[in-house]
Amino acid sequence: MTSIGGAEMVDWNLAVATATRLVRPGPEISREEARVVVAELRRHAKASEEHVRAFTRMIPEGTEPEDTPVLVVDRAGWIRANVAGFRELLRPLLAKMESRRSGGPGGAVLGAVGGKVTGVELGMLLSFLASRILGQYETFAPATRELPGSADGGGRLLLVAPNIVHVERELDVDPHDFRLWVALHEETHRTQFTGVPWLRDHLQGEIQTFLDETDVDPMTFLERLREAAQSLSGTGRPEGERDDGDGGRSLVDVVQTPAQREVLGRLTAVMSLLEGHADFVMDGVGPEVVGSVAEIREKFQKRRAQGAGRLDQALRKLLGLDAKLRQYKDGEKFVRSVVEEVGMDGFNRVWTSPNTLPTKAEIAKPAEWVARVHRTAES
């Protein structure tokens, strides 16, 4: 664990404790109803496998991809899983920041602040996110006794039961249809990584390159983290005070060098593809197995676009979640356009190798990807 001046730079245990203490309670639900919800989500996750495989045609018949567990968790379970993931993913960045601490004012102040404050601030952010995530495929998940992963140490699907129940009630939609609809989206992500063996290593390499190129002062990083935490506590920018004109920066923005921007452009394109593909599949499968899919999609899109109010919108921008919303929209348009032009099998050429992944520019102009990949292959 990375430390500064003998103290941990991030107290991960305190982050978990803070987040689980501050996270909002889930919807009121009896023990028996909770048991039914968990059982149904597990059934839907299993049923989604065949639906997604048949629709996407990513996994040839007769082959069995890598088996990854499906875990139905509560908000505290999601927090524990993500702290473990953050700890592993950020290890190189924190080690680099620690190596820069000596001789600089940032390092001296960080030594005084210590990992306790940082752990509390990270916990506050996670408490905000923990009540909003419906499901997640953890690509680089370290396995623990409570949260098992796949045999090779990476990959598990999480469905956050209280959040799914909360949203289905808020939208006033058929709960059985909504649970299956969510399962279809997350199962698509699992199929992407189990059906494309090189994808996980490619993404991991890009992320590590991004972190290796990080050139950020430790105090700058903590200031941005503190801004997000202060937004949660209502002690951020005063009412009516204007931002710097760019709508506010996200946490990602403070760790971007020119080299990182290139990597981030490639990562943005891949994430847009993955998220858009999942949306396309869940809606494509939907009419066959989810009777009220049109109603669910309309209501969910409105909720996704509007957020839950001013505080929610500010935090979404700071945490970079606005960019994720654009990824859903832009990526789905890309997938739909390509499938309409060259069919599902033609679209599936995207999974051939890292060279056939769309660029950020091609996500916005699908015809350019078709021209590059299909005409090159046919010439």
Side-chain angles (χ1 to χ4, degrees):
M1 186 173 294
T2 304
S3 62
I4 291 183
E8 296 172 358
M9 187 172 179
V10 178
D11 189 329
W12 300 104
N13 291 332
L14 184 57
V16 172
T18 301
T20 52
R21 184 177 71 252
L22 295 179
V23 70
R24 297 174 182 175
E28 292 187 8
I29 187 172
S30 69
R31 180 171 298 182
E32 176 60 22
E33 187 178 1
R35 185 190 66 78
V36 171
V37 170
V38 169
E40 184 174 17
L41 286 172
R42 287 175 176 156
R43 289 197 306 273
H44 285 332
K46 183 63 178 176
S48 294
E49 289 184 39
E50 293 305 318
H51 293 313
V52 171
R53 291 183 191 181
F55 184 82
T56 64
R57 301 203 287 273
M58 290 179 63
I59 300 175
E61 291 186 17
T63 62
E64 280 301 320
E66 172 192 12
D67 184 33
T68 57
V70 177
L71 306 178
V72 181
V73 298
D74 58 11
R75 291 171 177 175
W78 181 88
I79 289 168
R80 289 192 296 270
N82 278 267
V83 166
F86 287 151
R87 181 176 180 176
E88 188 65 26
L89 194 62
L90 293 177
R91 193 183 299 274
L93 174 61
L94 295 181
K96 186 174 183 178
M97 291 168 67
E98 187 238 353
S99 69
R100 297 181 55 183
R101 78 191 189 280
S102 58
V109 176
L110 268 176
V113 172
K116 298 294 184 185
V117 173
T118 312
V120 169
E121 291 169 342
L122 179 59
M124 293 174 71
L125 295 179
L126 288 170
S127 71
F128 168 79
L129 293 171
S131 62
R132 287 158 172 77
I133 304 298
L134 301 182
Q136 174 183 0
Y137 184 78
E138 288 194 291
T139 314
F140 314 112
T144 66
R145 184 170 59 183
E146 290 181 326
L147 297 163
S150 64
D152 67 351
R156 61 181 168 228
L157 191 153
L158 304 180
L159 295 172
V160 190
N163 295 350
I164 293 172
V165 172
H166 171 78
V167 174
E168 70 192 25
R169 291 178 177 178
E170 181 183 278
L171 298 181
D172 190 24
V173 294
D174 182 282
H176 309 292
D177 282 359
F178 185 75
R179 294 165 196 173
L180 177 55
W181 190 69
V182 172
L184 288 168
H185 182 100
E186 303 308 329
E187 176 58 36
T188 302
H189 286 316
R190 186 164 71 151
T191 298
Q192 290 164 349
F193 284 94
T194 57
V196 185
W198 54 264
L199 184 57
R200 179 177 180 271
D201 289 341
H202 173 70
L203 263 183
Q204 187 172 35
E206 292 281 53
I207 291 171
Q208 288 308 316
T209 299
F210 183 86
L211 294 177
D212 289 343
E213 291 291 338
T214 297
D215 185 20
V216 59
D217 176 77
M219 275 304 298
T220 302
F221 181 83
L222 275 193
E223 282 176 10
R224 190 60 58 185
L225 186 64
R226 189 165 295 112
E227 280 186 31
Q230 288 173 344
S231 295
L232 284 173
S233 62
T235 58
R237 178 181 289 124
E239 180 92 20
E241 183 177 326
R242 299 182 62 182
D243 59 28
D244 56 9
D246 65 356
R249 294 189 298 168
S250 75
L251 282 168
V252 173
D253 292 328
V254 302
V255 291
Q256 285 191 52
T257 64
Q260 277 185 301
R261 292 189 187 98
E262 294 185 14
V263 180
L264 189 61
R266 296 195 298 268
L267 281 171
T268 298
V270 175
M271 297 312 297
S272 296
L273 170 69
L274 299 180
E275 296 294 356
H277 183 236
D279 265 11
F280 177 79
V281 171
M282 71 195 290
D283 286 346
V285 174
E288 298 294 326
V289 297
V290 182
S292 58
V293 63
E295 177 192 3
I296 291 173
R297 165 57 72 186
E298 181 182 2
K299 291 182 175 180
F300 192 78
Q301 287 286 56
K302 288 181 179 178
R303 180 184 186 274
R304 181 187 274 176
Q306 294 172 354
R310 188 172 180 181
L311 173 62
D312 185 79
Q313 291 170 2
L315 279 165
R316 288 194 324 189
K317 183 178 292 293
L318 186 58
L319 297 172
L321 300 184
D322 276 357
K324 187 175 178 65
L325 297 181
R326 289 193 296 273
Q327 288 169 8
Y328 284 111
K329 183 178 179 180
D330 296 344
E332 196 274 340
K333 286 183 177 179
F334 170 83
V335 176
R336 185 174 300 280
S337 296
V338 172
V339 171
E340 287 176 353
E341 184 167 349
V342 296
M344 184 64 74
D345 291 333
F347 165 79
N348 280 340
R349 289 191 187 181
V350 78
W351 312 116
T352 304
S353 75
N355 293 330
T356 57
L357 291 171
T359 65
K360 188 176 180 180
E362 288 170 342
I363 287 289
K365 297 180 179 180
E368 294 185 1
W369 179 87
V370 172
R372 176 172 68 87
V373 173
H374 283 262
R375 291 177 187 172
T376 299
E378 293 165 1
S379 60

